[in-house]
Amino acid sequence: MTVSRPSSSRLSASRVALAGGIALSSVVLLSGTAFAHVSVQPQGEAAKGGYATVNIKVPNERDNASTVKVEVNFPLDHPLASVMPQPVPGWKAEVTRSKLSKPLELHGKKINEAVSKVTWTADGSKIGPGQFQQFPLSLGRLPEDADELVIKAIQTYDNKDVVRWIEEQKEGAEEPQFPAPVLKLSAASDDHHGGATAPSGAPSASASASADDKAGHEDKTASHKETAAPDSSDTTARILGVLGILIGVAGVAFGVLAGRRRSL
């Protein structure tokens, strides 16, 4: 009895098709992960010693669950005297303040506590599969002795899953699986450094008004920029995803065509 064996060409074609399929799956999975990071995005400038408005951007990374709670934690080694959430329809915000081991000097006054956490809990709304939500915050004063603020986040789903975005990026190392959001601070300027009059423990009316005015102006400017130029990391991930799909499709097509030629 004669046993037919697949030709080396057909085997090669099959291997190419398999490799293409694996490349397609890997790139799509990796690009999906890149989209899922919780991040902090300034609206306009976030200058040292000044005030800033930022968005906490929370994508939903589950196909079968919705996000119902978001918690962001602020570092107390670089404390912020003022953290004010903007109301988000369908969400309830709670601001937590903590005692400082070392009082904070702000405009000649000592502040013994600072905002350590802001928690948003779903109140009639959720972040569903394939969706994201932005949670705006007004921050101030930003530290003058730091180049960035690491704002760790915890994301909770309605199926009780909890994702902790708390891993800090180490210099020269690969990006961690669950990176903590990082707010990069720009150099101090006269406009931001001189700023509003600060309070004792909480922003005064004039300080809040000044911060809100700045935030409103920066919000309009940044809103236009965000529409015109999407987040660069998302764009890169999308490009990689498209390239992976093209490679995978080409590999599969080559394998099918090669198999047909050999069968004729």
Short mmCIF file of all heavy atoms in Angstrom, two decimals, residues 18-83:
data_model
loop_
_atom_site.label_atom_id
_atom_site.label_comp_id
_atom_site.label_asym_id
_atom_site.label_seq_id
_atom_site.Cartn_x
_atom_site.Cartn_y
_atom_site.Cartn_z
N LEU A 18 0.08 29.23 9.15
CA LEU A 18 -0.02 29.14 10.60
C LEU A 18 0.70 30.31 11.26
O LEU A 18 0.20 30.93 12.20
CB LEU A 18 0.57 27.81 11.08
CG LEU A 18 0.61 27.59 12.60
CD1 LEU A 18 -0.82 27.63 13.15
CD2 LEU A 18 1.29 26.27 12.93
N ALA A 19 1.91 30.63 10.76
CA ALA A 19 2.66 31.75 11.33
C ALA A 19 1.91 33.05 11.17
O ALA A 19 1.88 33.89 12.07
CB ALA A 19 4.04 31.84 10.66
N GLY A 20 1.28 33.22 9.99
CA GLY A 20 0.50 34.44 9.77
C GLY A 20 -0.65 34.55 10.73
O GLY A 20 -0.95 35.62 11.27
N GLY A 21 -1.34 33.41 10.96
CA GLY A 21 -2.46 33.42 11.90
C GLY A 21 -2.02 33.76 13.30
O GLY A 21 -2.67 34.52 14.02
N ILE A 22 -0.87 33.18 13.72
CA ILE A 22 -0.35 33.48 15.06
C ILE A 22 0.02 34.95 15.18
O ILE A 22 -0.26 35.61 16.18
CB ILE A 22 0.87 32.58 15.36
CG1 ILE A 22 0.43 31.12 15.47
CG2 ILE A 22 1.56 33.03 16.64
CD1 ILE A 22 1.58 30.14 15.60
N ALA A 23 0.67 35.50 14.15
CA ALA A 23 1.03 36.92 14.17
C ALA A 23 -0.20 37.80 14.29
O ALA A 23 -0.22 38.77 15.04
CB ALA A 23 1.83 37.28 12.90
N LEU A 24 -1.24 37.44 13.52
CA LEU A 24 -2.48 38.20 13.57
C LEU A 24 -3.06 38.20 14.98
O LEU A 24 -3.39 39.24 15.53
CB LEU A 24 -3.48 37.60 12.59
CG LEU A 24 -4.93 38.10 12.68
CD1 LEU A 24 -4.98 39.58 12.36
CD2 LEU A 24 -5.83 37.31 11.74
N SER A 25 -3.16 37.01 15.59
CA SER A 25 -3.76 36.90 16.91
C SER A 25 -2.94 37.66 17.94
O SER A 25 -3.47 38.37 18.79
CB SER A 25 -3.86 35.43 17.33
OG SER A 25 -4.64 34.71 16.41
N SER A 26 -1.60 37.52 17.87
CA SER A 26 -0.74 38.17 18.86
C SER A 26 -0.84 39.67 18.79
O SER A 26 -0.97 40.36 19.81
CB SER A 26 0.72 37.74 18.64
OG SER A 26 0.84 36.35 18.77
N VAL A 27 -0.79 40.23 17.58
CA VAL A 27 -0.82 41.68 17.45
C VAL A 27 -2.16 42.24 17.87
O VAL A 27 -2.24 43.26 18.54
CB VAL A 27 -0.49 42.10 16.00
CG1 VAL A 27 -0.66 43.60 15.83
CG2 VAL A 27 0.93 41.70 15.65
N VAL A 28 -3.25 41.55 17.50
CA VAL A 28 -4.57 42.03 17.89
C VAL A 28 -4.72 42.02 19.40
O VAL A 28 -5.23 42.95 20.01
CB VAL A 28 -5.67 41.18 17.23
CG1 VAL A 28 -7.03 41.48 17.83
CG2 VAL A 28 -5.70 41.44 15.72
N LEU A 29 -4.23 40.94 20.04
CA LEU A 29 -4.31 40.87 21.50
C LEU A 29 -3.49 41.96 22.15
O LEU A 29 -3.91 42.61 23.10
CB LEU A 29 -3.83 39.49 21.98
CG LEU A 29 -4.80 38.33 21.73
CD1 LEU A 29 -4.13 37.01 22.11
CD2 LEU A 29 -6.08 38.51 22.52
N LEU A 30 -2.27 42.18 21.65
CA LEU A 30 -1.41 43.20 22.22
C LEU A 30 -1.98 44.59 22.03
O LEU A 30 -1.92 45.43 22.92
CB LEU A 30 0.00 43.11 21.60
CG LEU A 30 0.82 41.88 22.02
CD1 LEU A 30 2.10 41.82 21.20
CD2 LEU A 30 1.12 41.91 23.50
N SER A 31 -2.53 44.88 20.84
CA SER A 31 -3.09 46.20 20.61
C SER A 31 -4.30 46.43 21.49
O SER A 31 -4.53 47.52 21.99
CB SER A 31 -3.46 46.37 19.13
OG SER A 31 -4.46 45.44 18.76
N GLY A 32 -5.10 45.38 21.74
CA GLY A 32 -6.25 45.52 22.63
C GLY A 32 -5.80 45.87 24.03
O GLY A 32 -6.42 46.67 24.72
N THR A 33 -4.70 45.24 24.50
CA THR A 33 -4.18 45.54 25.83
C THR A 33 -3.72 46.98 25.92
O THR A 33 -3.93 47.66 26.92
CB THR A 33 -3.02 44.59 26.14
OG1 THR A 33 -3.48 43.24 26.06
CG2 THR A 33 -2.47 44.84 27.53
N ALA A 34 -3.08 47.50 24.85
CA ALA A 34 -2.59 48.87 24.89
C ALA A 34 -3.73 49.86 25.05
O ALA A 34 -3.59 50.88 25.68
CB ALA A 34 -1.81 49.17 23.60
N PHE A 35 -4.91 49.53 24.47
CA PHE A 35 -6.03 50.44 24.57
C PHE A 35 -6.62 50.46 25.98
O PHE A 35 -7.34 51.36 26.34
CB PHE A 35 -7.14 50.02 23.60
CG PHE A 35 -6.75 50.11 22.16
CD1 PHE A 35 -7.36 49.30 21.22
CD2 PHE A 35 -5.77 50.99 21.73
CE1 PHE A 35 -7.02 49.38 19.88
CE2 PHE A 35 -5.41 51.08 20.39
CZ PHE A 35 -6.04 50.26 19.47
N ALA A 36 -6.32 49.41 26.79
CA ALA A 36 -7.05 49.20 28.03
C ALA A 36 -6.45 49.94 29.22
O ALA A 36 -7.00 49.88 30.30
CB ALA A 36 -7.12 47.71 28.34
N HIS A 37 -5.33 50.61 29.06
CA HIS A 37 -4.68 51.26 30.20
C HIS A 37 -5.51 52.43 30.73
O HIS A 37 -5.99 53.27 29.97
CB HIS A 37 -3.30 51.80 29.80
CG HIS A 37 -2.31 50.74 29.46
ND1 HIS A 37 -2.58 49.40 29.59
CD2 HIS A 37 -1.03 50.82 29.01
CE1 HIS A 37 -1.52 48.70 29.23
NE2 HIS A 37 -0.56 49.54 28.86
N VAL A 38 -5.64 52.49 32.04
CA VAL A 38 -6.17 53.70 32.67
C VAL A 38 -5.07 54.76 32.62
O VAL A 38 -3.90 54.45 32.89
CB VAL A 38 -6.59 53.42 34.13
CG1 VAL A 38 -6.96 54.73 34.84
CG2 VAL A 38 -7.75 52.46 34.18
N SER A 39 -5.41 55.99 32.26
CA SER A 39 -4.38 57.02 32.10
C SER A 39 -4.88 58.36 32.65
O SER A 39 -6.07 58.54 32.88
CB SER A 39 -4.00 57.17 30.62
OG SER A 39 -5.14 57.55 29.85
N VAL A 40 -3.94 59.27 32.85
CA VAL A 40 -4.28 60.63 33.26
C VAL A 40 -3.78 61.58 32.18
O VAL A 40 -2.61 61.54 31.78
CB VAL A 40 -3.68 60.99 34.64
CG1 VAL A 40 -2.17 60.77 34.67
CG2 VAL A 40 -4.01 62.44 35.02
N GLN A 41 -4.68 62.43 31.67
CA GLN A 41 -4.36 63.29 30.53
C GLN A 41 -4.65 64.74 30.89
O GLN A 41 -5.80 65.10 31.17
CB GLN A 41 -5.17 62.86 29.31
CG GLN A 41 -4.94 61.41 28.91
CD GLN A 41 -5.86 60.94 27.80
OE1 GLN A 41 -6.89 61.56 27.53
NE2 GLN A 41 -5.51 59.84 27.16
N PRO A 42 -3.63 65.60 30.91
CA PRO A 42 -3.86 67.01 31.24
C PRO A 42 -4.60 67.73 30.13
O PRO A 42 -4.39 67.46 28.95
CB PRO A 42 -2.44 67.57 31.41
CG PRO A 42 -1.58 66.67 30.58
CD PRO A 42 -2.22 65.30 30.64
N GLN A 43 -5.47 68.64 30.51
CA GLN A 43 -6.14 69.52 29.55
C GLN A 43 -5.35 70.82 29.53
O GLN A 43 -5.52 71.68 30.38
CB GLN A 43 -7.59 69.76 29.96
CG GLN A 43 -8.43 68.49 29.99
CD GLN A 43 -9.88 68.78 30.32
OE1 GLN A 43 -10.35 69.90 30.16
NE2 GLN A 43 -10.59 67.79 30.81
N GLY A 44 -4.46 70.93 28.57
CA GLY A 44 -3.58 72.09 28.55
C GLY A 44 -2.29 71.77 29.27
O GLY A 44 -1.78 70.65 29.21
N GLU A 45 -1.77 72.74 30.00
CA GLU A 45 -0.47 72.61 30.66
C GLU A 45 -0.63 72.19 32.11
O GLU A 45 -1.54 72.64 32.81
CB GLU A 45 0.27 73.94 30.59
CG GLU A 45 1.71 73.88 31.11
CD GLU A 45 2.41 75.21 30.96
OE1 GLU A 45 1.70 76.24 31.01
OE2 GLU A 45 3.65 75.23 30.80
N ALA A 46 0.26 71.31 32.57
CA ALA A 46 0.35 70.94 33.98
C ALA A 46 1.73 71.37 34.47
O ALA A 46 2.69 70.60 34.43
CB ALA A 46 0.14 69.44 34.15
N ALA A 47 1.83 72.62 34.87
CA ALA A 47 3.13 73.22 35.22
C ALA A 47 3.41 73.09 36.70
O ALA A 47 2.50 73.17 37.54
CB ALA A 47 3.17 74.68 34.81
N LYS A 48 4.66 72.91 37.04
CA LYS A 48 5.08 72.83 38.44
C LYS A 48 4.66 74.09 39.19
O LYS A 48 4.83 75.20 38.68
CB LYS A 48 6.60 72.66 38.53
CG LYS A 48 7.13 71.39 37.89
CD LYS A 48 8.65 71.32 37.99
CE LYS A 48 9.18 70.07 37.31
NZ LYS A 48 10.67 70.00 37.39
N GLY A 49 4.11 73.90 40.37
CA GLY A 49 3.72 75.04 41.19
C GLY A 49 2.41 75.69 40.79
O GLY A 49 2.01 76.68 41.39
N GLY A 50 1.73 75.14 39.78
CA GLY A 50 0.49 75.75 39.31
C GLY A 50 -0.71 74.87 39.49
O GLY A 50 -0.69 73.88 40.23
N TYR A 51 -1.80 75.23 38.83
CA TYR A 51 -3.04 74.46 38.84
C TYR A 51 -3.23 73.82 37.47
O TYR A 51 -2.74 74.32 36.46
CB TYR A 51 -4.23 75.36 39.17
CG TYR A 51 -4.23 75.88 40.58
CD1 TYR A 51 -3.58 77.08 40.90
CD2 TYR A 51 -4.86 75.18 41.60
CE1 TYR A 51 -3.57 77.57 42.20
CE2 TYR A 51 -4.86 75.65 42.90
CZ TYR A 51 -4.21 76.85 43.21
OH TYR A 51 -4.20 77.31 44.49
N ALA A 52 -3.97 72.73 37.44
CA ALA A 52 -4.21 72.04 36.17
C ALA A 52 -5.55 71.32 36.23
O ALA A 52 -6.02 70.93 37.31
CB ALA A 52 -3.09 71.06 35.86
N THR A 53 -6.14 71.15 35.07
CA THR A 53 -7.32 70.29 34.94
C THR A 53 -6.89 69.06 34.16
O THR A 53 -6.25 69.17 33.11
CB THR A 53 -8.46 71.01 34.20
OG1 THR A 53 -8.84 72.16 34.95
CG2 THR A 53 -9.67 70.11 34.04
N VAL A 54 -7.23 67.89 34.68
CA VAL A 54 -6.83 66.64 34.04
C VAL A 54 -8.06 65.74 33.88
O VAL A 54 -9.07 65.91 34.57
CB VAL A 54 -5.75 65.90 34.86
CG1 VAL A 54 -4.54 66.78 35.07
CG2 VAL A 54 -6.31 65.41 36.20
N ASN A 55 -7.96 64.79 32.97
CA ASN A 55 -8.97 63.75 32.80
C ASN A 55 -8.39 62.41 33.21
O ASN A 55 -7.30 62.04 32.75
CB ASN A 55 -9.43 63.66 31.34
CG ASN A 55 -10.45 64.73 30.99
OD1 ASN A 55 -11.24 65.14 31.83
ND2 ASN A 55 -10.43 65.18 29.75
N ILE A 56 -9.09 61.70 34.08
CA ILE A 56 -8.75 60.31 34.34
C ILE A 56 -9.53 59.49 33.31
O ILE A 56 -10.75 59.42 33.35
CB ILE A 56 -9.14 59.87 35.76
CG1 ILE A 56 -8.50 60.80 36.81
CG2 ILE A 56 -8.74 58.42 36.00
CD1 ILE A 56 -6.99 60.79 36.82
N LYS A 57 -8.82 58.90 32.34
CA LYS A 57 -9.46 58.16 31.25
C LYS A 57 -9.50 56.68 31.60
O LYS A 57 -8.46 56.05 31.81
CB LYS A 57 -8.68 58.38 29.95
CG LYS A 57 -9.33 57.73 28.73
CD LYS A 57 -8.52 58.03 27.48
CE LYS A 57 -9.14 57.39 26.25
NZ LYS A 57 -8.34 57.66 25.03
N VAL A 58 -10.72 56.12 31.67
CA VAL A 58 -10.90 54.74 32.11
C VAL A 58 -11.59 53.93 31.01
O VAL A 58 -12.81 54.03 30.83
CB VAL A 58 -11.74 54.67 33.40
CG1 VAL A 58 -11.86 53.23 33.89
CG2 VAL A 58 -11.13 55.57 34.49
N PRO A 59 -10.84 53.14 30.24
CA PRO A 59 -11.46 52.24 29.25
C PRO A 59 -11.96 50.97 29.95
O PRO A 59 -11.42 50.56 30.98
CB PRO A 59 -10.31 51.92 28.29
CG PRO A 59 -9.17 52.80 28.70
CD PRO A 59 -9.38 53.15 30.12
N ASN A 60 -12.97 50.36 29.38
CA ASN A 60 -13.45 49.07 29.88
C ASN A 60 -12.71 47.96 29.13
O ASN A 60 -12.72 47.92 27.91
CB ASN A 60 -14.96 48.93 29.66
CG ASN A 60 -15.54 47.71 30.36
OD1 ASN A 60 -15.91 47.77 31.52
ND2 ASN A 60 -15.62 46.60 29.66
N GLU A 61 -12.04 47.08 29.86
CA GLU A 61 -11.23 46.05 29.22
C GLU A 61 -11.88 44.67 29.27
O GLU A 61 -11.25 43.66 28.98
CB GLU A 61 -9.85 45.98 29.87
CG GLU A 61 -9.90 45.68 31.35
CD GLU A 61 -8.54 45.35 31.92
OE1 GLU A 61 -7.54 45.52 31.22
OE2 GLU A 61 -8.50 44.90 33.06
N ARG A 62 -13.14 44.59 29.65
CA ARG A 62 -13.84 43.32 29.73
C ARG A 62 -14.91 43.23 28.63
O ARG A 62 -15.54 44.22 28.29
CB ARG A 62 -14.52 43.14 31.09
CG ARG A 62 -13.56 43.07 32.27
CD ARG A 62 -12.87 41.70 32.32
NE ARG A 62 -12.13 41.53 33.56
CZ ARG A 62 -10.85 41.85 33.73
NH1 ARG A 62 -10.18 42.39 32.73
NH2 ARG A 62 -10.25 41.64 34.87
N ASP A 63 -15.12 42.02 28.11
CA ASP A 63 -16.16 41.79 27.12
C ASP A 63 -17.50 41.42 27.76
O ASP A 63 -18.54 41.51 27.13
CB ASP A 63 -15.75 40.67 26.16
CG ASP A 63 -14.55 41.06 25.31
OD1 ASP A 63 -14.40 42.27 25.01
OD2 ASP A 63 -13.77 40.17 24.94
N ASN A 64 -17.44 40.99 29.02
CA ASN A 64 -18.65 40.47 29.66
C ASN A 64 -18.96 41.14 31.00
O ASN A 64 -19.68 40.59 31.83
CB ASN A 64 -18.52 38.96 29.88
CG ASN A 64 -17.30 38.61 30.74
OD1 ASN A 64 -16.48 39.47 31.05
ND2 ASN A 64 -17.19 37.34 31.10
N ALA A 65 -18.39 42.33 31.24
CA ALA A 65 -18.63 43.04 32.50
C ALA A 65 -18.49 44.54 32.28
O ALA A 65 -17.86 44.99 31.32
CB ALA A 65 -17.65 42.57 33.58
N SER A 66 -19.08 45.31 33.19
CA SER A 66 -19.03 46.77 33.12
C SER A 66 -18.32 47.34 34.34
O SER A 66 -18.40 46.78 35.44
CB SER A 66 -20.44 47.36 33.04
OG SER A 66 -21.11 46.93 31.87
N THR A 67 -17.61 48.45 34.14
CA THR A 67 -16.93 49.12 35.25
C THR A 67 -17.95 49.91 36.06
O THR A 67 -18.73 50.69 35.51
CB THR A 67 -15.84 50.07 34.73
OG1 THR A 67 -14.87 49.31 34.01
CG2 THR A 67 -15.16 50.81 35.86
N VAL A 68 -17.93 49.70 37.39
CA VAL A 68 -18.90 50.38 38.26
C VAL A 68 -18.23 51.21 39.35
O VAL A 68 -18.92 51.90 40.11
CB VAL A 68 -19.86 49.36 38.91
CG1 VAL A 68 -20.75 48.70 37.85
CG2 VAL A 68 -19.09 48.29 39.69
N LYS A 69 -16.89 51.15 39.42
CA LYS A 69 -16.20 51.93 40.45
C LYS A 69 -14.78 52.22 40.00
O LYS A 69 -14.10 51.36 39.45
CB LYS A 69 -16.18 51.16 41.78
CG LYS A 69 -15.57 51.92 42.95
CD LYS A 69 -15.65 51.08 44.23
CE LYS A 69 -15.03 51.78 45.41
NZ LYS A 69 -15.09 50.93 46.64
N VAL A 70 -14.35 53.46 40.22
CA VAL A 70 -12.99 53.88 39.87
C VAL A 70 -12.42 54.65 41.05
O VAL A 70 -13.05 55.59 41.56
CB VAL A 70 -12.97 54.77 38.61
CG1 VAL A 70 -11.54 55.25 38.33
CG2 VAL A 70 -13.54 54.03 37.41
N GLU A 71 -11.24 54.27 41.48
CA GLU A 71 -10.57 54.94 42.61
C GLU A 71 -9.18 55.38 42.18
O GLU A 71 -8.42 54.59 41.62
CB GLU A 71 -10.48 53.96 43.79
CG GLU A 71 -9.70 54.47 44.98
CD GLU A 71 -9.51 53.37 46.03
OE1 GLU A 71 -10.53 52.72 46.37
OE2 GLU A 71 -8.37 53.16 46.48
N VAL A 72 -8.85 56.64 42.42
CA VAL A 72 -7.50 57.12 42.12
C VAL A 72 -6.87 57.62 43.41
O VAL A 72 -7.52 58.28 44.23
CB VAL A 72 -7.49 58.23 41.05
CG1 VAL A 72 -7.93 57.69 39.71
CG2 VAL A 72 -8.38 59.40 41.44
N ASN A 73 -5.60 57.28 43.59
CA ASN A 73 -4.87 57.62 44.81
C ASN A 73 -3.72 58.57 44.50
O ASN A 73 -2.95 58.34 43.57
CB ASN A 73 -4.33 56.34 45.46
CG ASN A 73 -5.44 55.40 45.90
OD1 ASN A 73 -5.92 55.49 47.01
ND2 ASN A 73 -5.85 54.50 45.02
N PHE A 74 -3.63 59.63 45.31
CA PHE A 74 -2.61 60.65 45.09
C PHE A 74 -1.46 60.46 46.08
O PHE A 74 -1.69 60.14 47.25
CB PHE A 74 -3.22 62.04 45.25
CG PHE A 74 -4.28 62.33 44.22
CD1 PHE A 74 -5.62 62.07 44.49
CD2 PHE A 74 -3.95 62.84 42.98
CE1 PHE A 74 -6.60 62.32 43.56
CE2 PHE A 74 -4.92 63.09 42.03
CZ PHE A 74 -6.24 62.82 42.32
N PRO A 75 -0.22 60.69 45.62
CA PRO A 75 0.94 60.50 46.50
C PRO A 75 0.99 61.57 47.60
O PRO A 75 0.84 62.76 47.32
CB PRO A 75 2.13 60.64 45.54
CG PRO A 75 1.61 61.50 44.42
CD PRO A 75 0.17 61.15 44.27
N LEU A 76 1.21 61.14 48.83
CA LEU A 76 1.29 62.08 49.94
C LEU A 76 2.71 62.60 50.15
O LEU A 76 2.92 63.50 50.98
CB LEU A 76 0.77 61.43 51.22
CG LEU A 76 -0.75 61.15 51.24
CD1 LEU A 76 -1.17 60.49 52.54
CD2 LEU A 76 -1.54 62.42 50.99
N ASP A 77 3.69 62.05 49.41
CA ASP A 77 5.02 62.62 49.49
C ASP A 77 5.11 63.91 48.67
O ASP A 77 6.03 64.72 48.86
CB ASP A 77 6.09 61.62 49.04
CG ASP A 77 5.83 61.08 47.65
OD1 ASP A 77 4.68 61.21 47.16
OD2 ASP A 77 6.76 60.53 47.04
N HIS A 78 4.16 64.10 47.75
CA HIS A 78 4.01 65.37 47.03
C HIS A 78 2.53 65.76 47.12
O HIS A 78 1.78 65.66 46.14
CB HIS A 78 4.44 65.23 45.57
CG HIS A 78 5.90 64.96 45.40
ND1 HIS A 78 6.88 65.88 45.71
CD2 HIS A 78 6.56 63.85 44.96
CE1 HIS A 78 8.07 65.36 45.46
NE2 HIS A 78 7.89 64.13 45.00
N PRO A 79 2.08 66.19 48.31
CA PRO A 79 0.63 66.36 48.55
C PRO A 79 0.01 67.50 47.76
O PRO A 79 0.67 68.49 47.42
CB PRO A 79 0.57 66.63 50.06
CG PRO A 79 1.91 67.20 50.40
CD PRO A 79 2.89 66.52 49.49
N LEU A 80 -1.28 67.32 47.45
CA LEU A 80 -2.07 68.33 46.77
C LEU A 80 -3.13 68.85 47.74
O LEU A 80 -3.95 68.08 48.25
CB LEU A 80 -2.75 67.74 45.53
CG LEU A 80 -1.82 67.16 44.46
CD1 LEU A 80 -2.65 66.45 43.39
CD2 LEU A 80 -0.97 68.25 43.84
N ALA A 81 -3.13 70.15 47.99
CA ALA A 81 -4.09 70.72 48.93
C ALA A 81 -5.49 70.75 48.33
O ALA A 81 -6.49 70.68 49.05
CB ALA A 81 -3.66 72.13 49.33
N SER A 82 -5.57 70.87 47.00
CA SER A 82 -6.86 70.99 46.34
C SER A 82 -7.00 69.97 45.23
O SER A 82 -6.20 69.93 44.29
CB SER A 82 -7.04 72.40 45.76
OG SER A 82 -8.21 72.48 45.00
N VAL A 83 -8.02 69.12 45.35
CA VAL A 83 -8.42 68.20 44.28
C VAL A 83 -9.93 68.26 44.20
O VAL A 83 -10.62 67.84 45.12
CB VAL A 83 -7.95 66.76 44.55
CG1 VAL A 83 -8.47 65.82 43.46
CG2 VAL A 83 -6.44 66.67 44.64
#
